[in-house]
């Protein structure tokens, strides 16, 4: 029989954001961390560049705030930016205290690098595998916490709220979770629920994200009544390794920060024609420039060259990239790296406040699934891991503050599988998955038009109905749940993009190339906006 669990805090997701919550909870609170795969299977593991923080005496909080506001193209919420930046140093000190081994220079000071959009060297990093260092360290620490239970190979199906139980109020009290080991759906009840499931870049054909980035948390929160904001702003990383077997391996922005040059197939540079900052321009400008040149030339890819730097410098600063490229026959100390843009980061998400609270009581969202107001229309490099740490710790503090006020969750029914059967047509899932990611790439990608968005909306509506019917009649599986959520978030992305009649930050449309005088967030509300997604 499917199991039933009860905790004080249920954390859905095991990246930097979710683990930051778990590690900052009071020791007497019983918590569960559920992960789709292994504990370190989320996006944090793959983050290369580093974490932005004000650590150098020549830098300042005001400079970091100013750079972030500039990169966000008028849509950053200054209070959220200030809150994040003002807590940057203490967040880094917390990581160091937990044991993260950041790279040091010859004087044994922490080495700080510079990335696009930053006016100072303020990116602290662990070589070119910062996410790996953070992920492994926090995972090791949370495994040592007696009050935290780790449950791997589990996928959240849907949240449980008072409204779903026909009870008064609007409180989140748990979730239904699919155990991938036995294919049964388990009941998790909790006084507090935290979504830390990451972004939705798997909605696109090419992405730097791991397979689990299917927008699960955003879709689940939307289905229980949470507002979402700025879903049209999808950041495409300009430089992912172009190789048939590389699966969009990310080439960190720090390569350009340390002097890497973008080149056309003939070896000539081009970024100076698009922005005076050249390779250090914000990611949206660099991605559009590469996309433009690829389409103009009919090229499958362009190049990123760091080979003019000493070989020892390249190997010491970018050991992971050097080894990975070498495995594919590319020696980056001698030749340029073939690169293409790929969907990388979801700047929008579930609307939260500075404590990570949502429209539903006792439901928190942290990390890439959240819209805090920090990123605006374009995320500045290396602010994302910082956001995970700052808001993860803030959510834990709020949960601790409310500990004595929130009662145990009410009883809830077990998941009912009596009316469904095993699917004998899984080809429907794989076909719809491919169709969705192709039309999102073609019609809702780096450059958009109204006609392309209308075509995408039509196809999303058709897929929605088909997947909804499938969901209602067959037993759930990981692939079905991810597809269901991807259709929901894709619909939110499309509808948000259709509402923005300008080109701002990461949203660029040929039909409205100008920027409106007033910068406004795109906010979708479930009670007034009806998504067809199941």
């Amino acid at each position: 029989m499917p199991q039933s669990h009860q905790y004080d805090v249920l954390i859905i997701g095991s990246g930097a954001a979710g683990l930051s919550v778990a590690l900052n909870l009071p020791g007497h609170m019983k918590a569960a961390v559920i992960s789709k795969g292994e504990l370190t299977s989320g996006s944090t593991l793959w983050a290369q560049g580093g974490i932005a923080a004000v650590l150098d005496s020549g830098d300042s909080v005001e400079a970091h705030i100013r750079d972030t506001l500039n990169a966000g193209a008028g849509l950053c919420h200054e209070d959220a930016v200030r809150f994040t930046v003002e807590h940057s140093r203490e967040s880094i000190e917390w990581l160091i205290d937990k044991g993260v081994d950041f790279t040091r220079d010859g004087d044994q000071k922490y080495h700080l690098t510079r990335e696009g959009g930053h006016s100072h060297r303020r990116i602290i990093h662990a070589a070119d595998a910062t996410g790996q260092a953070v992920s492994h360290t926090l995972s090791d620490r949370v495994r040592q916490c007696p009050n935290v239970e780790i449950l791997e190979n589990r996928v959240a199906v849907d949240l449980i709220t008072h409204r779903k139980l026909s009870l008064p109020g609007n409180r989140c009290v748990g979730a239904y979770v699919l155990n991938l080991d036995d294919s049964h759906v388990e009941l998790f009840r909790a006084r507090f629920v935290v979504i830390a499931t990451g972004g939705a870049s798997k909605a696109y054909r090419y992405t730097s994200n791991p397979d689990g980035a299917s927008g699960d948390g955003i879709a689940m929160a939307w289905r229980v009544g949470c507002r979402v904001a700025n879903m049209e702003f999808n950041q495409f990383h300009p430089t992912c390794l172009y190789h048939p077997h590389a699966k969009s391996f990310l080439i960190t922005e720090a390569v350009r920060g340390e002097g890497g040059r973008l080149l056309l197939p003939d070896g000539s540079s081009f970024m100076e024609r698009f922005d005076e900052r050249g390779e250090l321009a914000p990611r949206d400008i660099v991605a559009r420039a590469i996309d433009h040149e690829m389409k103009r030339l009919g090229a499958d890819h362009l190049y990123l060259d760091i080979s003019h730097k000493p070989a020892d410098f390249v190997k010491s600063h970018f050991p992971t990239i050097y080894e990975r490229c070498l495995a594919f026959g590319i020696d980056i100390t001698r030749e340029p790296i073939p690169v293409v843009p790929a969907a990388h980061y979801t700047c929008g998400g579930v609307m939260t406040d500075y404590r990570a609270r949502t429209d539903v009581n006792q439901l928190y969202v942290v990390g890439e699934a959240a819209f805090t107001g920090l990123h605006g229309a374009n995320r500045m490099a290396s602010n994302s891991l910082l956001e995970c740490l700052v808001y993860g710790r803030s959510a834990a503090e709020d949960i601790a503050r409310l500990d004595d006020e929130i009662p145990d969750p009410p009883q809830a029914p077990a998941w009912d599988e009596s009316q469904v059967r095993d699917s004998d047509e899984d080809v429907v899932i794989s076909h719809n998955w491919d169709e969705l990611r192709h039309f999102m790439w073609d019609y809702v990608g780096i450059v958009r038009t109204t006609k392309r968005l209308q075509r995408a909306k039509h196809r999303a509506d058709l897929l929605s109905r088909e997947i909804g019917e499938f969901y209602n009649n067959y037993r759930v599986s990981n692939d079905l749940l991810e597809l269901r959520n991807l259709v929901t978030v894709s619909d939110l992305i499309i509808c948000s993009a259709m509402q923005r009649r300008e080109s701002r930050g990461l949203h660029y449309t040929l039909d409205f190339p100008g920027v409106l005088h007033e910068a406004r967030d795109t906010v979708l509300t479930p009670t007034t906006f009806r998504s067809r997604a199941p």
Side-chain angles (χ1 to χ4, degrees):
M1 291 292 293
Q3 296 186 31
S4 177
H5 310 265
Q6 182 174 338
Y7 299 91
D8 292 313
V9 185
L10 172 63
I11 301 169
I12 305 172
S14 60
L19 297 185
S20 293
V21 176
L23 289 168
N24 282 280
L25 290 172
H28 69 272
M29 297 190 79
K30 185 181 178 184
V33 174
I34 68 171
S35 176
K36 271 189 177 182
E38 296 180 355
L39 191 62
T40 56
S41 61
S43 294
T44 297
L45 183 73
W46 302 99
Q48 294 176 355
I51 307 172
V54 179
L55 302 169
D56 183 76
S57 59
D59 196 6
S60 69
V61 166
E62 295 304 321
H64 190 172
I65 291 172
R66 184 170 58 250
D67 292 344
T68 301
L69 294 175
N70 288 339
L75 277 181
C76 294
H77 295 193
E78 187 168 351
D79 57 343
V81 176
R82 182 170 295 278
F83 176 77
T84 306
V85 174
E86 287 181 344
H87 289 83
S88 63
R89 176 183 284 272
E90 67 188 53
S91 296
I92 298 301
E93 291 172 346
W94 179 76
L95 282 181
I96 293 171
D97 181 64
K98 292 301 177 186
V100 176
D101 187 18
F102 290 111
T103 298
R104 297 175 185 266
D105 58 24
D107 297 326
Q108 289 304 300
K109 295 179 180 179
Y110 289 112
H111 180 266
L112 303 177
T113 189
R114 181 182 173 190
E115 295 181 348
H118 291 275
S119 59
H120 293 77
R121 283 183 172 266
R122 64 167 67 101
I123 315 302
I124 190 169
H125 60 101
D128 62 346
T130 305
Q132 182 174 313
V134 171
S135 181
H136 286 314
T137 300
L138 297 186
S139 295
D140 289 344
R141 294 296 174 267
V142 83
R143 290 186 190 279
Q144 298 169 12
C145 291
N147 65 312
V148 179
E149 184 174 0
I150 298 164
L151 299 162
E152 298 173 314
N153 298 317
R154 282 171 169 82
V155 181
V157 179
D158 259 328
L159 300 172
I160 304 170
T161 62
H162 272 199
R163 287 180 180 175
K164 285 193 174 185
L165 300 176
S166 299
L167 296 172
N170 188 24
R171 175 187 169 199
C172 187
V173 292
Y176 292 109
V177 177
L178 174 65
N179 186 331
L180 297 179
D181 292 331
D182 62 17
S183 299
H184 286 298
V185 176
E186 302 172 351
L187 169 64
F188 282 74
R189 295 185 299 128
R191 296 193 296 133
F192 302 89
V193 177
V194 180
I195 287 175
T197 52
S201 289
K202 289 297 284 187
Y204 289 95
R205 182 181 180 186
Y206 301 113
T207 175
S208 64
N209 286 198
D211 289 339
S214 48
D216 302 340
I218 298 172
M220 288 190 296
W222 171 258
R223 288 194 288 266
V224 296
C226 291
R227 291 171 298 163
V228 300
N230 289 4
M231 289 295 292
E232 69 271 33
F233 296 115
N234 309 100
Q235 187 173 74
F236 289 82
H237 197 286
T239 54
C240 285
L241 177 61
Y242 179 80
H243 191 280
H245 304 302
K247 201 173 183 179
S248 298
F249 176 70
L250 178 68
I251 306 299
T252 175
E253 187 149 356
V255 173
R256 287 185 284 123
E258 294 295 342
R261 297 166 56 239
L262 287 164
L263 305 176
L264 298 177
D266 65 2
S268 61
S269 62
F270 62 92
M271 272 308 303
E272 63 275 6
R273 291 191 278 109
F274 292 88
D275 193 281
E276 62 182 10
R277 291 165 289 189
E279 276 75 8
L280 290 178
R283 287 176 176 175
D284 60 324
I285 296 173
V286 178
R288 278 201 302 273
I290 294 174
D291 182 71
H292 174 85
E293 291 299 303
M294 286 174 59
K295 289 176 178 175
R296 181 178 70 85
L297 298 171
D300 292 327
H301 62 278
L302 299 184
Y303 294 93
L304 176 61
D305 188 20
I306 192 72
S307 64
H308 53 279
K309 289 282 190 176
D312 289 344
F313 174 90
V314 174
K315 292 177 183 179
S316 63
H317 279 70
F318 309 110
T320 305
I321 295 173
Y322 173 75
E323 293 293 342
R324 187 64 179 271
C325 289
L326 199 61
F328 295 114
I330 304 165
D331 185 348
I332 68 173
T333 67
R334 297 174 177 268
E335 58 190 316
I337 309 166
V339 293
V340 292
H344 183 58
Y345 193 86
T346 306
C347 287
V350 182
M351 294 188 71
T352 66
D353 63 13
Y354 72 94
R355 293 175 177 171
R357 295 175 298 189
T358 69
D359 295 325
V360 176
N361 295 332
Q362 282 68 67
L363 176 64
Y364 297 76
V365 180
V366 291
E368 193 174 348
F371 169 81
T372 63
L374 171 64
H375 304 305
N378 183 19
R379 176 183 72 97
M380 191 168 69
S382 292
N383 269 350
S384 51
L385 282 177
L386 176 62
E387 182 184 41
C388 290
L389 301 169
V390 170
Y391 285 88
R393 298 177 71 205
S394 184
E397 290 174 5
D398 195 61
I399 290 170
R401 184 181 62 83
L402 296 174
D403 181 21
D404 294 334
E405 301 178 20
I406 305 303
D408 287 340
Q411 295 298 317
W415 184 260
D416 184 9
E417 293 184 345
S418 63
Q419 304 299 314
V420 295
R421 59 189 186 277
D422 289 325
S423 169
D424 57 359
E425 297 182 358
D426 284 348
V427 67
V428 173
I429 297 176
S430 61
H431 175 79
N432 287 350
W433 182 287
D434 289 341
E435 181 182 349
L436 173 70
R437 298 182 71 205
H438 273 79
F439 76 65
M440 285 296 290
W441 183 262
D442 292 338
Y443 299 148
V444 201
I446 296 174
V447 177
R448 301 162 178 174
T449 67
T450 300
K451 184 172 288 186
R452 290 174 189 172
L453 294 174
Q454 290 170 343
R455 288 171 176 165
K457 176 61 177 166
H458 175 68
R459 282 158 175 76
D461 288 345
L462 292 175
L463 283 182
S464 244
R465 289 192 288 269
E466 190 167 319
I467 294 165
E469 180 181 350
F470 201 90
Y471 176 82
N472 290 328
N473 288 284
Y474 296 105
R475 285 189 174 86
V476 295
S477 66
N478 181 52
D479 288 346
L480 175 57
L481 293 175
E482 288 189 337
L483 179 60
R484 178 188 184 222
N485 291 329
L486 280 174
V487 169
T488 298
V489 295
S490 295
D491 193 39
L492 295 173
I493 291 169
I494 295 164
C495 291
S496 297
M498 292 176 76
Q499 288 194 23
R500 185 163 295 280
R501 301 172 74 83
E502 63 170 346
S503 289
R504 184 185 295 273
L506 299 167
H507 174 75
Y508 185 81
T509 170
L510 297 176
D511 292 320
F512 303 99
V515 181
L516 296 178
H517 177 69
E518 184 179 3
R520 290 186 177 181
D521 293 325
T522 304
V523 179
L524 303 181
T525 305
T527 55
T528 58
F529 172 86
R530 183 173 178 80
S531 170
R532 294 180 179 273

